[in-house]
Amino acid sequence: MNRRTLANRAVAEIGFGCMNVSHAYGPPSDPAAAKALFHAALDLGIDHLDTAALYGFGRNESLVGEILHPFRDRFFLASKCGMTGVNGTRVMDGRPETLKQTCKEALTRLRTDVIDLYYLHRWDKRVPIEESVGGLADLVREGHIRSIGLSEVSAATLRKAHAVHPIAAVQNEYSLWTRNPEIALLSACKELGVALVAFSPLARGFLANGVADPREFTEKDLRRTMPRFNPPHFARNRKLLDEFNKVAWEAGCTPAQLALAWLLAKAPHVLPIVGTTSIAHLEEDVAASRVRLSAETLDTLERLINAETVSGPRYPADTLTEIDTEATPNAG
């Protein structure tokens, strides 16, 4: 796989987001399946693994630590703080003392002495971003983390944070159907030398033809709450896939690979992370690194799926108030 720079380290250009194994898309994977999946990721050359205290309310970090601590020198480890589970409830807390305590707990769960990249999972707007980043900077000085990241923030917030301590990466949702980073963040990251780690690059399975009928989502599937997967938006969005699949066929790749190849072509400082519980899907995703798209194909994709052709915001209204990302015309 090709390499890109993340926090001054060369890593595979496609990373693995571990969330799906424990959180948000249905029942957690059983330990044996999770072990096989994580081992397969390493064998495929994936050396950038991304988790968070929130995922499974600590269970995902524990799983990563239990399965992968013997191979700690083979991968770049990213995790997140600032949003955790407290007594079974999701809580956002960006106070420096809370972030430091969360890091201490994460190091124990992950069975490591240091986290390579530690993100503020969400900016707690009750706490100035400078204060939260200041707390994370203390963790860098103390040797508990190597670099600082932010997630779901705007270019303006990135600049404020970067003035306190260098920010290595911003992790925001970015795909053909979520183009928010193109408003200002993508260029700000380039200017400041910050990597843009793109989560949900396959539009939560939509661009991989993985959503035939949202009514079949399991009870705890996060997508049940997302407007784009609900009436009237899903039917409108589903119509985009016929042409999208045709473009993939003409390009000689799968729809999932097409979506990833488009993202990799956007800029060299963009690093997508894919999430799946399927080894076969992971193999398919990694193969996107070998896909090369013509300028004509890229232009076709840009015109087909964008902020104006996709129907509905990406989050429900209450969730949109919690994030700082610039909004596209459809409020997404």
Side-chain angles (χ1 to χ4, degrees):
M1 206 182 330
N2 299 319
R3 315 286 285 174
R4 297 195 173 187
T5 301
L6 179 60
N8 296 317
R9 289 265 298 274
V11 300
E13 64 183 357
I14 297 175
F16 182 57
C18 302
M19 181 183 77
N20 298 42
V21 176
S22 307
H23 185 86
Y25 293 105
S29 300
D30 68 73
K35 182 176 182 179
L37 182 67
F38 287 161
H39 286 182
L42 296 182
D43 291 343
L44 287 167
I46 294 176
D47 57 2
H48 168 205
L49 302 181
D50 181 277
T51 182
L54 178 69
Y55 303 159
F57 291 2
R59 291 191 299 273
N60 195 253
E61 285 183 328
S62 295
L63 198 62
V64 170
E66 178 183 351
I67 295 171
L68 294 179
H69 76 91
F71 312 103
R72 181 64 184 90
D73 60 345
R74 290 180 55 186
F75 63 92
F76 179 98
L77 176 62
S79 193
K80 308 178 193 72
C81 60
M83 195 158 59
T84 58
V86 179
N87 298 322
T89 302
R90 190 196 67 160
V91 172
M92 190 181 301
D93 188 343
R95 293 174 297 173
E97 59 269 28
T98 302
L99 304 183
K100 293 176 182 181
Q101 180 61 31
T102 303
C103 181
K104 179 180 178 181
E105 295 165 356
L107 289 168
T108 299
R109 289 191 292 260
L110 291 163
R111 301 192 189 186
T112 187
D113 295 326
V114 62
I115 297 169
D116 296 308
L117 173 60
Y118 206 43
Y119 292 95
L120 184 66
H121 204 156
R122 292 290 185 273
W123 172 31
D124 177 358
K125 297 175 184 178
R126 298 167 300 181
V127 181
I129 190 65
E130 294 88 346
E131 289 187 19
S132 295
V133 172
L136 295 175
D138 289 341
L139 292 173
V140 174
R141 285 188 286 270
E142 294 163 6
H144 300 305
I145 66 176
R146 290 195 171 103
S147 58
I148 298 171
L150 305 173
S151 183
E152 289 279 27
V153 298
S154 65
T157 299
L158 168 61
R159 293 182 189 281
K160 290 179 182 179
H162 197 72
V164 175
H165 186 280
I167 301 300
V170 173
Q171 184 174 142
N172 278 23
E173 184 174 355
Y174 190 22
S175 69
L176 272 165
W177 90 336
T178 296
R179 308 287 280 276
N180 306 62
E182 295 175 5
I183 299 172
L185 184 67
L186 187 63
S187 59
C189 284
K190 180 181 180 180
E191 174 192 337
L192 298 173
V194 177
L196 177 55
V197 175
F199 74 83
S200 297
L202 301 181
R204 303 182 187 274
F206 178 80
L207 294 175
N209 285 322
V211 185
D213 186 348
R215 291 173 297 183
E216 297 177 357
F217 289 152
T218 61
E219 182 181 352
K220 294 186 178 181
D221 194 308
L222 183 66
R223 292 170 293 184
R224 279 184 170 272
T225 68
M226 294 181 171
R228 291 179 182 177
F229 293 101
N230 285 282
H233 305 296
F234 183 75
R236 298 170 184 168
N237 293 329
R238 184 67 182 81
K239 293 178 181 178
L240 298 171
L241 288 182
D242 289 340
E243 183 64 24
F244 181 72
N245 291 338
K246 179 182 176 182
V247 175
W249 182 83
E250 293 173 345
C253 63
T254 69
Q257 291 166 350
L258 181 66
L260 288 167
W262 171 84
L263 195 53
L264 290 169
K266 290 301 293 184
H269 62 290
V270 173
L271 295 90
I273 52 173
V274 297
T276 183
T277 58
S278 164
I279 293 176
H281 288 168
L282 192 59
E283 292 171 341
E284 175 187 354
D285 293 342
V286 166
S289 186
R290 300 192 294 269
V291 175
R292 297 292 177 267
L293 302 178
S294 68
E296 181 181 2
T297 298
L298 292 170
D299 183 62
T300 297
L301 291 173
E302 295 272 345
R303 287 185 285 104
L304 176 64
I305 303 179
N306 57 59
E308 295 182 353
T309 63
V310 172
S311 181
R314 63 191 180 106
Y315 286 131
D318 57 343
T319 303
L320 286 173
T321 65
E322 297 179 346
I323 62 177
D324 178 55
T325 312
E326 288 94 351
T328 54
N330 62 8

